[in-house]
Amino acid sequence: MGENADTDDHELVRRAGAGDRLAASELIIRHTDKVMGLCYRMLGERAAAEDAVQETFLRLWKHAHKWRDEGAKIETWLYRVAKNLCLDRLRKTGREVGEDAAPEQADHADGAEQSMIRADRARAVEAALMRLPERQRAAISLCHFQELSNIEAAEVMNVSVEAMESLLSRGRRTLKKVLSPQREELMEGGLS
């Protein structure tokens, strides 16, 4: 999203804060996919992620009237709210999600074998991601899957850039260690 989209987001939040449901709907349309991606990677369950997304946008609706455009992006605020809701849910349930929760996304343009290989890889990566501590999982999700810069992700997580880089580094090391026994299997068929 460019600067113009951010400005439009701020205007939409202002209008939503004044009770404009169409403006709120536009914000939801613009940001649901990205917020859902973060929530799903944090929680590992589609239903739980959908609940967190719904609660994120409900909070936007409830608090839009308080929004002050002080240079912050709406997207950053949404990610922060979603991340906190996911962390709260994980703490309350005291659970970690297993391999069965990983998404399967078949690419119908490829053959069935390539689709199965890709799905297996996705499951392995998702399972490894779920083994990370919550803050490392959030950092990896924000930077690698949501494609935020380290600065933007640090703002979402309310930590310094140095702390974000440390979380990313530790998370990557852990992922590498967890996935290394499966390296040959994960690489198989990927370079054909």
Side-chain angles (χ1 to χ4, degrees):
M1 297 191 123
E3 187 176 322
N4 192 22
D6 292 335
T7 303
D8 291 343
D9 278 352
H10 291 291
E11 175 60 20
L12 289 171
V13 170
R14 186 194 64 71
R15 288 178 26 212
D20 184 339
R21 290 180 183 269
L22 290 176
S25 294
E26 179 62 28
L27 285 166
I28 292 168
I29 290 166
R30 284 185 184 187
H31 298 287
T32 293
D33 288 345
K34 288 184 176 185
V35 174
M36 180 63 178
L38 173 64
C39 292
Y40 185 79
R41 283 189 176 78
M42 293 286 303
L43 299 171
E45 291 179 355
R46 185 162 186 79
E50 288 171 349
D51 288 347
V53 170
Q54 184 175 8
E55 180 62 26
T56 298
F57 286 105
L58 184 60
R59 288 190 183 183
L60 175 64
W61 176 252
K62 286 180 180 177
H63 299 288
H65 69 282
K66 297 177 188 175
W67 180 262
R68 300 292 174 254
D69 183 1
E70 296 172 354
K73 290 181 174 182
I74 303 303
E75 188 174 73
T76 302
W77 184 86
L78 290 169
Y79 280 144
R80 182 177 295 147
V81 170
K83 176 206 54 121
N84 288 337
L85 288 167
C86 291
L87 291 175
D88 288 347
R89 181 178 288 265
L90 287 169
R91 287 183 191 117
K92 284 179 186 173
T93 59
R95 65 157 173 79
E96 287 294 322
V97 180
E99 291 182 34
D100 294 339
E104 290 188 43
Q105 297 177 343
D107 182 353
H108 299 291
D110 290 332
E113 184 178 356
Q114 286 298 318
S115 294
M116 288 175 37
I117 289 169
R118 205 173 350 275
D120 287 345
R121 285 184 190 144
R123 274 193 297 277
V125 170
E126 289 291 334
L129 188 63
M130 295 310 291
R131 291 177 62 182
L132 292 177
E134 295 164 349
R135 289 170 39 91
Q136 290 177 23
R137 185 182 324 147
I140 295 283
S141 294
L142 289 167
C143 291
H144 291 283
F145 296 105
Q146 302 312 119
E147 299 178 353
L148 295 183
S149 70
N150 290 2
I151 294 168
E152 292 169 323
E155 188 177 330
V156 168
M157 292 188 62
N158 203 26
V159 298
S160 69
V161 174
E162 293 79 14
M164 174 58 62
E165 290 170 353
S166 177
L167 287 167
L168 288 169
S169 178
R170 290 192 319 258
R172 288 178 188 133
R173 271 195 312 270
T174 302
L175 286 174
K176 184 177 180 180
K177 189 165 80 173
V178 169
L179 292 170
S180 67
Q182 302 171 28
R183 181 181 173 157
E184 291 295 321
E185 185 180 323
L186 292 172
M187 296 301 290
E188 191 175 290
L191 302 175
S192 54

